Amino acid sequence: MAVFTAGTAHAELVQKPITSVSAYDGRFTGYSAALPLDLSTDTEKVALTVKSSGMLDNPTYDFDLNLSKKPDADRVDERSMALGASWNQNEARLRSSMSRMFGFGLLPRANYVRVSMDMDASQAIAVPGKIPVARANIRSSLTLDGRPVGSIAFGGGSQGEEGVDLSVMRPFEIPAELTISVRGVNNQREAWRLQDARAMVKLVKIGW
């Protein structure tokens, strides 16, 4: 397996391109070429990346746009948004995400709630008439005194997959993280039923 990387910047707007070629046993197995662009303003950080990858006879084209608010001494809340798309001769995919931070208390930069929403949709081009697959996820997380405390997320999609994720991180100074995940299914072939339920405890070393 061999990977070669190269690239040079041509202007401030155009960042350093990222290109690579992979091979196995002397045979070409794929390539990747990404061109990042910096479209930032005085108040917003804007990054656009255009990418082509895969095989020469069936490349996949990607574009990703990320926007985020630059730090401001007068504003505590943060917000960000991302949009992306990819397509090839078999599938087209759209994705988006948004997040917002709300500070509270005497130290809003250390105590805040972050709410985010992610959406994803794909369409099989090779199968005409097939229903697009769409999914969405809404997550809320709490941070106190600069330390993540927990999060809860709700998700669902056009395939009938609904789920709830609950995470509690180091409650009451206990060096452990607890995650509970519940997934369900509800489609035309069967009524709603529990598909997956699990709980995980992860020990965390706070200090030596």
Side-chain angles (χ1 to χ4, degrees):
M1 181 74 175
V3 177
F4 310 95
T5 304
T8 56
H10 298 281
E12 290 187 2
L13 177 67
V14 180
Q15 304 300 297
K16 184 178 180 181
I18 304 172
T19 60
S20 65
V21 177
S22 59
Y24 182 76
D25 286 344
R27 296 182 178 181
F28 173 76
T29 58
Y31 78 98
S32 176
L35 180 63
L37 303 174
D38 187 357
L39 308 176
S40 301
T41 65
D42 293 337
T43 59
E44 299 282 346
K45 183 178 181 181
V46 184
L48 174 64
T49 302
V50 181
K51 180 180 178 182
S52 176
S53 61
M55 299 296 292
L56 295 176
D57 57 345
N58 183 20
T60 296
Y61 301 100
D62 288 88
F63 117 93
D64 288 283
L65 178 64
N66 293 275
L67 303 93
S68 60
K69 182 78 174 179
K70 286 186 176 180
D72 191 335
D74 298 330
R75 297 178 62 89
V76 176
D77 59 328
E78 296 179 359
R79 53 186 171 86
S80 62
M81 181 177 66
L83 299 172
S86 62
W87 64 93
N88 54 35
Q89 66 181 17
N90 299 318
E91 183 184 59
R93 183 179 295 272
L94 296 174
R95 52 190 178 274
S96 66
S97 64
M98 295 180 291
S99 67
R100 185 74 181 266
M101 187 191 83
F102 303 91
F104 61 90
L106 298 177
L107 299 174
R109 295 187 182 276
N111 304 305
Y112 57 87
V113 174
R114 185 180 298 276
V115 180
S116 60
M117 180 173 62
D118 302 295
M119 294 177 288
D120 182 280
S122 62
Q123 172 67 54
I125 299 177
V127 184
K130 186 175 181 180
I131 300 176
V133 177
R135 295 183 177 87
N137 186 77
I138 299 176
R139 177 177 298 274
S140 177
S141 60
L142 173 65
T143 298
L144 294 177
D145 196 21
R147 186 187 67 184
V149 175
S151 66
I152 184 170
F154 300 90
S158 59
Q159 287 187 329
E161 298 179 357
E162 287 79 29
V164 178
D165 293 303
L166 173 64
S167 299
V168 180
M169 290 159 277
R170 297 194 296 275
F172 309 110
E173 303 297 334
I174 298 176
E177 296 180 2
L178 171 65
T179 301
I180 300 173
S181 177
V182 179
R183 299 288 178 184
V185 62
N186 183 22
N187 52 42
Q188 297 178 352
R189 294 176 298 177
E190 56 186 340
W192 193 95
R193 66 176 177 83
L194 184 63
Q195 186 181 48
D196 179 55
R198 64 184 65 188
M200 181 181 70
V201 177
K202 177 183 178 182
L203 297 180
V204 180
K205 183 185 290 293
I206 297 180
W208 294 95

